[in-house]
Amino acid sequence: MNPHHTIPLLIDGDFKLDESRPCALYLVEKYGKDSKLLPEDVEARARVFHDLFFDMGSYYSAVIGCAVSIGKIAQRIFKDLNVFQAPVIFMGAQEPAPNALEKLKEVLGFMNEKVKKTGFASGTDHLTLADLSYLATTSTLVATGITDLPPELNEWYNKCKSLIPDYEKANGVGAEEFGQGFKNKGFFK
């Protein structure tokens, strides 16, 4: 059904789409016109788009970069490659690589500044798609226990979880399962 072999896969009639952020945008555009999840104002909307892309390209990448750490032998083999390597959860590395953790902490500083202004990610006074996307990434990070959240980001995280009906069922359980795999140093042991 999905030539990219990824999840999620959205099927709406004959239309198929994968990747979570485009799927969310599509659903709001088609079925949530009166929703505040995607602001009408062009600048506010651009900030939400920016944050969706920042989440995918920087924040999520930094979080997974810590879960995708390699052991000492693999470090010697892959030292010259700038690629995602063998994950902690699959290869049993004992902790994130120091450079990956440093990058994550830098990105968490950016994230903390984003939510500090208005209490929401994109400078709005309400929840947007960007908050939902960031929340999924943050839930994964929190579940792994890799590092603590900065204060304002932690407040935002708890507030967003409380604003989403059935958050635990929709996202919390899956994040916790991922976190357990990380903490156990591998799902497949």
Side-chain angles (χ1 to χ4, degrees):
M1 245 187 234
N2 179 358
H4 300 131
H5 309 289
T6 59
I7 55 172
L9 173 65
L10 173 93
I11 301 172
D12 188 16
D14 292 334
F15 182 71
K16 294 178 185 173
L17 186 65
D18 64 342
E19 296 293 341
S20 60
R21 291 157 193 89
C23 290
L25 285 166
Y26 171 81
L27 290 170
V28 170
E29 288 282 0
K30 186 162 183 183
Y31 299 106
K33 291 281 186 193
D34 297 329
S35 154
K36 290 177 145 186
L37 291 174
L38 198 54
E40 294 281 328
D41 176 75
V42 174
E43 290 178 7
R45 192 179 188 93
R47 284 192 301 273
V48 169
F49 287 154
H50 171 271
D51 284 336
L52 288 169
F53 298 138
F54 182 83
D55 179 41
M56 184 178 66
S58 296
Y59 187 32
Y60 182 75
S61 176
V63 170
I64 296 304
C66 284
V68 179
S69 296
I70 57 174
K72 295 198 181 301
I73 294 172
Q75 283 176 351
R76 282 187 231 128
I77 295 168
F78 294 113
K79 68 181 177 183
D80 297 324
L81 298 178
N82 185 19
V83 297
F84 282 112
Q85 293 135 3
V88 169
I89 58 174
F90 298 120
M91 294 293 285
Q94 295 305 302
E95 60 189 37
N99 62 332
L101 192 54
E102 184 179 311
K103 177 65 178 171
L104 174 60
K105 288 182 178 184
E106 177 186 37
V107 172
L108 286 174
F110 299 149
M111 291 297 301
N112 201 55
E113 288 302 312
K114 283 178 175 297
V115 302
K116 196 185 274 190
K117 296 173 189 167
T118 65
F120 291 97
S122 298
T124 63
D125 62 356
H126 59 276
L127 199 69
T128 67
L129 278 180
D131 292 290
L132 298 179
S133 187
Y134 283 144
L135 181 60
T137 300
T138 305
S139 298
T140 300
L141 172 61
V142 168
T144 65
I146 291 170
T147 190
D148 293 329
L149 298 176
E152 290 86 0
L153 187 59
N154 191 56
E155 287 176 32
W156 165 88
Y157 171 67
N158 288 313
K159 175 175 60 176
C160 288
K161 286 194 319 180
S162 73
L163 292 173
I164 298 170
D166 297 321
Y167 163 81
E168 284 303 322
K169 182 179 176 185
N171 191 66
V173 172
E176 284 302 319
E177 287 175 2
F178 182 90
Q180 280 306 117
F182 178 84
K183 289 172 186 172
N184 293 336
K185 306 296 185 228
F187 291 122
F188 303 112
K189 284 191 167 189

